[in-house]
Amino acid sequence: MTTSRIKMFNELFSELEDCNEEEQKQKIEEMNGLMEEMDEKELISVIIKELFNRILKMIEEKKLTMGNAILLLKHMGYCKALKKIMTLFFERSSLNKRFKKMIIDENEKKEGKDEKLMADLCECIFLISHLFLTLPKELYGICVPCLLNVALKKEKDEETQKEVEMALFAFSCISRYYQIEKELYLKEITEIIKYHQEHHNLTRLAYQSAWKFLMDRLLQESSLEDTIVNELHFEREARREVEELSKGVDWKKKEEEMGETERKAMDIISRWFGPIGYYFYSCHLWNEEYVELISRIVDLFRASRDNHSEISEQCINLFAEITKNKAIQNGSLLKSGVVDLFLEEMAQRTLNGVSVQKWKEFICALSKSLKEKANEENSEAVLKKTNRQIFDKLEEEGYEDAIISIQKIKHFSFRVFDLGSSLNISDCFIII
């Protein structure tokens, strides 16, 4: 079937230049359907430099209309970004340069500016470039407002929702390491998120994409904290989205047994880990909703640990990140159930090396957090009391057994995964 999909895609592509515009569109829709069915390996085999060169040549020779080229390329980028495929063929192609020039030329027109064409070209570039998106500052200044204008559409019909989803998904591909002036996006992205919270007009992927873009900016712009925490209520929204998406998944099934709807829900859940992780890494305004969000991640771990290791390992990564956040009170770690979950996991004798390493990172991060907070002058007595509660809980409910469990398999797992920290896990919990 793999060979068949690739072969069919290439055959359809080779037939495009001999078709009229309507026939081209029909074949491209078939190609788009094939790309949706392809796995990462298959998609990589068709998104190659030669493909982009041929598309450009066909456009220049008027054998492929620009509208149909965009129809193919936009969906290609959408599938590439969804599957998180990393290739640089488009970025190094002449087609990429041509599209960038077209955007600039269109923007410079005094009259008759084609906003839809500009948005389509921006989406193609952002989506196909994905993790390697780099643009001149001038182009960000054109593309960001252009995509936001599309994303601000508020109609609930399916066609508009798809347009908005594509624009926001493309928007979310802007690197978190690229700083964009707040004046270009903050008012609009805040309006988009607030409007959805009240009217539920976005798809789940579109809503997650809006948050991803905003949380990526937080890494560079700490002044966004107040908007994210107190105005847009990230913790509440992330908790609700993860909770509702989880209800749509039968976690007892293995991934290959799941239907398309369940797989899509899992994919969006996985995508929420990025914004949540950036949030705990970058945001230091305490909010009581922290506990509920962490509790939902604990629930998600329990649901996914048997059949979906990728999700459960992402959960453990978040637990380690959470303990590093100085705004989180130690008592909240008890309330959220993370400490109970750690003990529950360490009681297992079947943990693999990756899981042990990730739990080791969590407990060492927790130990460091407890020590640091116990030494703070202003609330030393209160914190020591909380730390003692955590320590007593670990001793009472099996911490020593947990140490033994880790040490039994540490020689394999830590030899492979440890990056230099102490192998003596019992040293991690000298707290008081």
Side-chain angles (χ1 to χ4, degrees):
M1 188 61 175
T2 296
T3 306
S4 175
R5 278 193 289 255
I6 295 171
K7 184 180 178 182
M8 286 174 64
F9 180 93
N10 289 330
E11 285 176 353
L12 286 165
F13 183 75
S14 66
E15 294 168 2
L16 289 178
E17 57 187 349
D18 297 321
C19 300
N20 62 38
E21 185 174 354
E22 190 55 38
E23 289 170 337
Q24 281 183 355
K25 186 175 181 181
Q26 290 173 3
K27 290 184 184 295
I28 287 171
E29 286 173 352
E30 287 184 59
M31 294 166 71
N32 288 348
L34 287 169
M35 285 191 287
E36 288 179 7
E37 296 173 7
M38 289 179 182
D39 60 25
E40 289 85 347
K41 188 175 179 181
E42 291 173 286
L43 201 55
I44 287 170
S45 72
V46 298
I47 303 179
I48 55 178
K49 185 178 180 180
E50 290 74 18
L51 179 81
F52 299 120
N53 290 338
R54 284 185 66 188
I55 289 174
L56 179 58
K57 185 177 180 183
M58 289 166 69
I59 292 171
E60 289 175 339
E61 293 177 352
K62 301 192 183 306
K63 293 180 179 178
L64 178 65
T65 66
M66 182 58 71
N68 281 339
I70 287 171
L71 182 66
L72 174 61
L73 289 164
K74 192 190 291 191
H75 201 77
M76 185 180 292
Y78 182 76
C79 292
K80 181 175 181 277
L82 272 178
K83 299 178 196 300
K84 301 175 186 175
I85 290 172
M86 295 184 287
T87 62
L88 283 165
F89 297 125
F90 178 75
E91 289 72 20
R92 295 170 178 170
S93 72
S94 297
L95 183 61
N96 183 25
K97 293 176 184 175
R98 169 74 179 271
F99 278 8
K100 288 176 181 177
K101 185 176 185 307
M102 286 177 68
I103 292 169
I104 292 170
D105 290 347
E106 195 66 37
N107 185 64
E108 288 177 349
K109 288 182 178 178
K110 302 268 192 232
E111 296 179 357
K113 196 179 296 185
D114 191 336
E115 298 285 355
K116 185 179 187 314
L117 175 61
M118 288 173 60
D120 284 339
L121 293 172
C122 292
E123 287 171 5
C124 284
I125 291 173
F126 281 35
L127 290 166
I128 300 179
S129 297
H130 184 37
L131 297 174
F132 299 106
L133 176 65
T134 53
L135 297 176
K137 189 172 184 179
E138 177 189 8
L139 270 175
Y140 280 112
I142 298 169
C143 292
V144 168
C146 184
L147 291 178
L148 283 172
N149 283 338
V150 178
L152 282 163
K153 293 181 179 180
K154 296 177 170 62
E155 294 81 7
K156 285 189 177 182
D157 61 279
E158 187 176 346
E159 185 178 346
T160 302
Q161 282 193 324
K162 193 63 182 175
E163 280 183 40
V164 171
E165 179 184 273
M166 193 72 78
L168 285 171
F169 189 42
F171 201 51
S172 73
C173 292
I174 299 174
S175 170
R176 63 181 179 270
Y177 300 112
Y178 190 89
Q179 190 163 8
I180 299 174
E181 293 86 353
K182 287 191 295 184
E183 291 74 19
L184 276 178
Y185 68 84
L186 186 56
K187 177 178 176 293
E188 291 81 2
I189 203 72
T190 300
E191 180 183 339
I192 288 166
I193 289 173
K194 278 186 170 181
Y195 190 86
H196 173 75
Q197 289 173 355
E198 186 175 349
H199 300 282
H200 308 289
N201 63 308
L202 301 177
T203 66
R204 290 202 183 276
L205 178 59
Y207 191 49
Q208 188 277 330
S209 297
W211 272 115
K212 181 184 181 302
F213 171 82
L214 190 56
M215 298 307 294
D216 281 352
R217 308 283 76 75
L218 178 59
L219 292 174
Q220 300 259 2
E221 185 61 74
S222 60
S223 64
L224 294 174
E225 278 189 323
D226 186 60
T227 299
I228 287 168
V229 176
N230 297 321
E231 188 175 350
L232 298 178
H233 306 285
F234 174 77
E235 307 98 322
R236 180 194 69 195
E237 294 299 300
R239 173 184 57 77
R240 181 180 53 76
E241 286 293 305
V242 169
E243 190 172 18
E244 290 181 4
L245 285 160
S246 295
K247 289 176 182 176
V249 177
D250 183 350
W251 294 101
K252 294 179 182 178
K253 294 180 183 176
K254 296 187 183 297
E255 189 167 355
E256 57 271 19
E257 299 170 339
M258 289 183 167
E260 184 181 357
T261 302
E262 287 180 300
R263 283 196 295 271
K264 284 183 177 179
M266 276 189 60
D267 178 68
I268 299 173
I269 289 170
S270 181
R271 291 177 184 280
W272 271 104
F273 281 101
I276 293 171
Y278 301 154
Y279 176 73
F280 283 120
Y281 177 80
S282 303
C283 197
H284 303 291
L285 290 176
W286 169 252
N287 189 294
E288 289 297 330
E289 290 175 341
Y290 269 38
V291 177
E292 287 299 317
L293 176 55
I294 300 167
S295 294
R296 293 295 76 74
I297 304 302
V298 169
D299 293 341
L300 181 60
F301 176 88
R302 286 200 169 99
S304 64
R305 64 182 160 191
D306 291 336
N307 294 316
H308 304 280
S309 59
E310 185 178 343
I311 295 280
S312 60
E313 286 168 11
Q314 285 178 296
C315 291
I316 308 173
N317 286 338
L318 270 184
F319 297 146
E321 202 62 64
I322 286 164
T323 61
K324 297 173 189 175
N325 189 311
K326 294 182 179 180
I328 297 177
Q329 299 166 9
N330 290 334
S332 300
L333 296 174
L334 283 173
K335 291 179 186 177
S336 69
V338 176
V339 176
D340 287 320
L341 183 62
F342 167 73
L343 290 168
E344 184 181 314
E345 283 298 290
M346 288 302 103
Q348 305 298 315
R349 296 295 190 268
T350 55
L351 291 177
N352 61 38
V354 174
S355 295
V356 169
Q357 171 63 15
K358 290 185 180 300
W359 278 117
K360 178 205 171 220
E361 290 169 3
F362 162 75
I363 198 64
C364 288
L366 176 59
S367 174
K368 184 179 179 182
S369 170
L370 295 176
K371 291 174 193 175
E372 287 177 351
K373 291 176 183 177
N375 290 329
E376 293 174 1
E377 292 181 5
N378 293 337
S379 54
E380 183 176 347
V382 174
L383 285 168
K384 279 202 171 191
K385 182 179 179 182
T386 303
N387 291 355
R388 170 54 69 183
Q389 288 176 333
I390 294 176
F391 188 66
D392 288 347
K393 186 178 188 65
L394 290 168
E395 283 195 315
E396 179 184 325
E397 298 190 23
Y399 175 68
E400 289 185 5
D401 289 339
I403 298 299
I404 294 168
S405 296
I406 292 179
Q407 288 179 330
K408 280 186 177 180
I409 49 180
K410 78 178 182 183
H411 298 296
F412 164 73
S413 62
F414 291 177
R415 184 172 67 249
V416 176
F417 298 106
D418 200 289
L419 300 178
S421 57
S422 170
L423 296 187
N424 188 355
I425 191 70
S426 59
D427 286 345
C428 286
F429 233 98
I430 303 171
I431 304 172
I432 299 174

